[in-house]
Amino acid sequence: MNTHLHEGLELARAVEASAKEKTSDALMIIAPPFTHLAKVREVISEVKLAAQNCSSEESGAYTGEVSPDMLKTAGVEYVIIGHSERRSYYHEDNEILNKKVQLALSKGLFPIFCCGESLEEREEGQMFDVIREQITVGLNGLSPSDMKNVIVAYEPVWAIGTGVTASPEQAQEMHKFIRDLLAELFNQQVADETSLLYGGSCKPSNAAELFANPDVDGGLIGGASLKAEDFIQIVNAYA
Ligand code: PGA
């Protein structure tokens, strides 16, 4: 919940300008607030457009909700589903997130499905069980061909917005676990082809070492995306 409309548009324009000069072949996606989406659509072409959330319902009397269809008609291509702040502050559980993923896919949106454990869960050694549950339930009912349209983001809750980043070893360990889990739940091709993003205090100074891991395919960037020059440095850290 950052930037007023005019600030968001200015940021989107700056990101679009830097995208035209990027030195890496990373795909760039920006996810502004709902109120900015249709306007941001008009100022980007190189950069793809995502929403930060969507409804689990198709249409009707759900005051305050934004449906996948509404997003599509605003020119949105991707949608973040299950960000930890949605899970914790708005009590979105794995079942409701699964409904969102299925509905978004059925409407032709590409879900960016987030998972991540809390500090307490990591300290108690439960992190692999938590991630297994989030992914198994969150992506339940999807076919291998649906998975071609899904991006998975691992975001340890203790690293989001805290300045504490997972070490490259911690990120790689969990990403490998997720890739193996996708092979188990779907097949090896799905595991090999699904993009696994790392999120949580990723910044220009640590992006390259995180992205150097074999199973880290990119980043989901929060705070550092609010400055176009930091964001593009992170993009260019993806070799
Ligand atoms: P951060 O946020 O980069 O500020 O830690 C990540 C996120 O919100 O997904």
Side-chain angles (χ1 to χ4, degrees):
M1 202 164 66
N2 286 290
T3 75
H4 296 163
L5 179 56
H6 65 279
E7 296 163 340
L9 276 174
E10 206 171 298
L11 180 56
R13 278 196 196 94
V15 169
E16 173 68 19
S18 61
K20 297 214 163 78
E21 288 162 21
K22 74 180 152 80
T23 55
S24 94
D25 63 357
L27 174 70
M28 289 172 72
I29 307 171
I30 55 173
F34 287 139
T35 46
H36 302 21
L37 289 167
K39 283 277 184 199
V40 166
R41 172 76 280 162
E42 293 168 8
V43 303
I44 57 172
S45 56
E46 191 73 24
V47 175
K48 307 288 177 200
L49 188 60
Q52 298 178 7
N53 184 24
C54 69
S55 178
S56 58
E57 301 296 335
E58 207 166 330
S59 69
Y62 299 98
T63 304
E65 288 290 274
V66 176
S67 73
D69 271 337
M70 293 172 182
L71 296 177
K72 280 293 278 190
T73 56
V76 173
E77 300 152 284
Y78 295 80
V79 58
I80 298 174
I81 294 178
H83 189 279
S84 76
E85 288 145 21
R86 300 302 314 173
R87 291 175 183 269
S88 60
Y89 303 151
Y90 302 98
H91 314 294
E92 295 186 8
D93 60 19
N94 292 326
E95 284 75 20
I96 200 107
L97 296 173
N98 178 243
K99 222 174 144 189
K100 291 188 180 202
V101 168
Q102 300 219 26
L103 184 63
L105 280 170
S106 77
K107 300 296 178 182
L109 289 168
F110 304 131
I112 302 171
F113 179 76
C114 302
C115 59
E117 82 286 358
S118 67
L119 183 59
E120 199 184 12
E121 288 161 343
R122 177 163 280 264
E123 283 175 349
E124 287 173 3
Q126 294 166 356
M127 66 263 197
F128 296 115
D129 292 342
V130 170
I131 300 301
R132 171 178 282 276
E133 174 82 4
Q134 289 177 347
I135 291 184
T136 305
V137 180
L139 302 182
N140 183 37
L142 271 57
S143 67
S145 78
D146 288 331
M147 284 301 294
K148 287 192 175 47
N149 299 324
V150 176
I151 293 173
V152 175
Y154 168 59
E155 300 208 299
V157 178
W158 44 273
I160 299 177
T162 58
V164 180
T165 315
S167 68
E169 294 74 24
Q170 286 171 320
Q172 170 57 25
E173 182 185 42
M174 188 57 86
H175 281 232
K176 172 85 171 69
F177 175 81
I178 294 171
R179 209 177 288 288
D180 290 346
L181 179 60
L182 293 178
E184 183 190 317
L185 296 174
F186 299 97
N187 58 41
Q188 191 57 46
Q189 193 182 353
V190 167
D192 293 341
E193 292 177 358
T194 302
S195 282
L196 304 182
L197 311 183
Y198 167 80
S201 300
C202 186
K203 42 193 176 243
S205 59
N206 61 24
E209 59 177 11
L210 286 161
F211 298 161
N213 287 295
D215 291 302
V216 179
D217 303 318
L220 201 163
I221 317 303
S225 70
L226 296 172
K227 274 199 198 154
E229 57 274 30
D230 284 2
F231 188 50
I232 192 68
Q233 275 188 57
I234 294 173
V235 171
N236 286 333
Y238 185 80

